Amino acid sequence: MPMPHRTFAQVAKRRLTGKEGRERIREVNALLAELPDYRNGPYADLRKWLTSEIEETRVRSKAVQRDSIAVRREGAAQIALVGPPNVGKSSILQALSEIQIKTGDYPFTTLRPIPALTRIGGVLVQLVEIPGLIEGANEDRGGGRALLGVLRSADAIVYCVRATADPEELRPVVAEVALAGIEKPAFIAATRADEAAPDAVGRLQAAFPGVEVLAVSVIDEPSLAAFSDAVWRLTGLIRVRLRSNGRTDEEPLALDPGSTVEDVADSVHHDLATSFSGARVWGPSARFDGQRVGRDHAVEDGDVVEILP
Ligand SMILES: Nc1nc2c(ncn2[C@@H]2O[C@H](COP(=O)(O)OP(=O)(O)OP(=O)(O)O)[C@@H](O)[C@H]2O)c(=O)[nH]1
Ligand SMILES: [Mg+2]
């Protein structure tokens, strides 16, 4: 005599309560095995419900995993900071943004990717600290796969390594990124440079000849400014400021390289892009100040553009 279907439903709910992921799916399968095999009626409904639970549990556990790691994009570009533990990644984020973040003189202070918005030449750029990427990341050591996923969606990478460290400390990180097939614009930051001898950058440069190496210290403002400039170059974006009624905006637009005056107009307003007659340009792309140009004129980083109606 099978259990009455109402009782079965109650028992099933109780047995599933508090279970998620693989454990929940196992319990659902056990319940399905115990369920009388009627094609129609309340038992068939129960079977349908339990079967849908399997799929829903799968979707949910995927979503939970993704949410715990995904970084919501903000700003004109997303730049990942990655490197061995305790090299000063969080301290750089702290120095260049408004966020309050845990730093500490011990490894793995940061356990999840942490985003921070920084303003570079008037444009907001998102820096993301990727913690704990270690050898074996591609085999998911240290939750490496999810971390590599964050790197994959970033626009560029800053490899961070202590200026005083053996350059070989960075090698496994670079190797894991390459193994994952991730190729992005990148430079190496030789961090905590105030602690290092002047030849530290040279040693790193010799170990990684193809990549720009830049010394940075959070207690040295000019080095932080140079770091920001280098991050901006990694984005590959260009900054253009708008001018109207004789006034030039403080905040530039960030545009893809190769953008034209039409793209500038389009980023102001779609209607403007169809109706405007041309523009005046000041700056690197202009032959002279206030040059009159057509909609196909390519703008350059640092231009000021006045759209003419
Ligand atoms: N002298 C000096 N110390 C620094 C500098 N940047 C960071 N530190 C110190 O280095 C230690 C580690 O800094 P964090 O910013 O937490 O390093 P992290 O790379 O984020 O470390 P994890 O998240 O633990 O991997 C802290 O004690 C910082 O105060 C620097 O430019 N100069
Ligand atoms: Mg940190």
Side-chain angles (χ1 to χ4, degrees):
M1 199 39 202
M3 202 188 286
H5 64 86
R6 284 212 179 80
T7 316
F8 191 98
Q10 278 167 2
V11 169
K13 277 193 189 126
R14 199 173 326 125
R15 276 166 59 181
L16 292 179
T17 302
K19 295 200 174 81
E20 264 312 335
R22 222 175 286 167
E23 198 189 1
R24 188 177 179 93
I25 291 173
R26 204 177 304 128
E27 196 63 62
V28 171
N29 280 322
L31 285 162
L32 279 168
E34 291 162 34
L35 194 64
D37 200 11
Y38 293 112
R39 293 262 189 104
N40 294 303
Y43 287 109
D45 291 342
L46 279 170
R47 178 168 299 278
K48 220 189 273 165
W49 165 60
L50 284 169
T51 313
S52 72
E53 267 301 311
I54 294 184
E55 190 46 36
E56 272 179 46
T57 305
R58 284 217 179 97
V59 170
R60 205 158 44 226
S61 55
K62 260 196 211 124
V64 169
Q65 263 174 24
R66 250 204 320 272
D67 282 348
S68 63
I69 199 91
V71 180
R72 197 163 62 88
R73 278 184 91 91
E74 279 184 281
Q78 188 183 61
I79 313 294
L81 272 65
V82 65
N86 211 26
V87 299
K89 301 180 291 296
S90 295
S91 301
I92 292 174
L93 256 61
Q94 183 110 279
L96 294 179
S97 75
E98 313 272 289
I99 65 161
Q100 289 303 314
I101 174 178
K102 217 164 137 186
T103 62
D105 196 12
Y106 46 89
F108 302 110
T109 314
T110 309
L111 299 170
R112 293 154 46 91
I114 300 211
L117 278 174
T118 186
R119 196 175 280 282
I120 309 179
V123 178
L124 287 174
V125 172
Q126 186 181 42
L127 304 175
V128 184
E129 174 179 1
I130 312 285
L133 192 81
I134 52 173
E135 201 166 346
N138 279 274
E139 281 76 57
D140 209 25
R141 254 190 89 203
R145 282 225 190 92
L147 298 175
L148 288 167
V150 179
L151 274 180
R152 202 183 299 283
S153 62
D155 299 307
I157 298 175
V158 178
Y159 291 100
C160 301
V161 62
R162 272 169 89 154
T164 50
D166 180 349
E168 293 313 306
E169 281 182 25
L170 188 59
R171 193 78 65 186
V173 177
V174 174
E176 291 297 330
V177 174
L179 193 61
I182 298 168
E183 278 184 53
K184 308 269 169 173
F187 72 85
I188 295 173
T191 60
R192 303 174 62 162
D194 54 285
E195 300 172 327
D199 69 333
V201 167
R203 279 188 304 124
L204 267 163
Q205 192 67 80
F208 299 94
V211 199
E212 181 190 357
V213 180
L214 199 79
V216 62
S217 159
V218 295
I219 56 174
D220 175 21
E221 278 296 330
S223 81
L224 286 169
F227 179 92
S228 289
D229 286 345
V231 166
W232 179 258
R233 287 196 299 275
L234 284 188
T235 69
L237 297 171
I238 59 178
R239 282 163 295 205
V240 170
R241 286 185 301 150
L242 288 169
R243 184 184 157 107
S244 59
N245 304 324
R247 268 197 67 246
T248 303
D249 286 355
E250 292 266 333
E251 290 214 3
L253 300 166
L255 299 167
D256 289 325
S259 290
T260 62
V261 164
E262 184 166 347
D263 297 319
V264 176
D266 193 52
S267 64
V268 178
H269 200 289
H270 288 300
D271 292 344
L272 186 60
T274 51
S275 66
F276 81 107
S277 65
R280 285 189 196 286
V281 181
W282 292 254
S285 83
R287 269 186 286 124
F288 52 88
D289 277 354
Q291 186 193 350
R292 176 83 207 241
V293 297
R295 49 173 67 224
D296 293 337
H297 176 84
V299 290
E300 284 174 36
D301 192 31
D303 276 356
V304 171
V305 175
E306 180 173 11
I307 303 289
L308 302 172

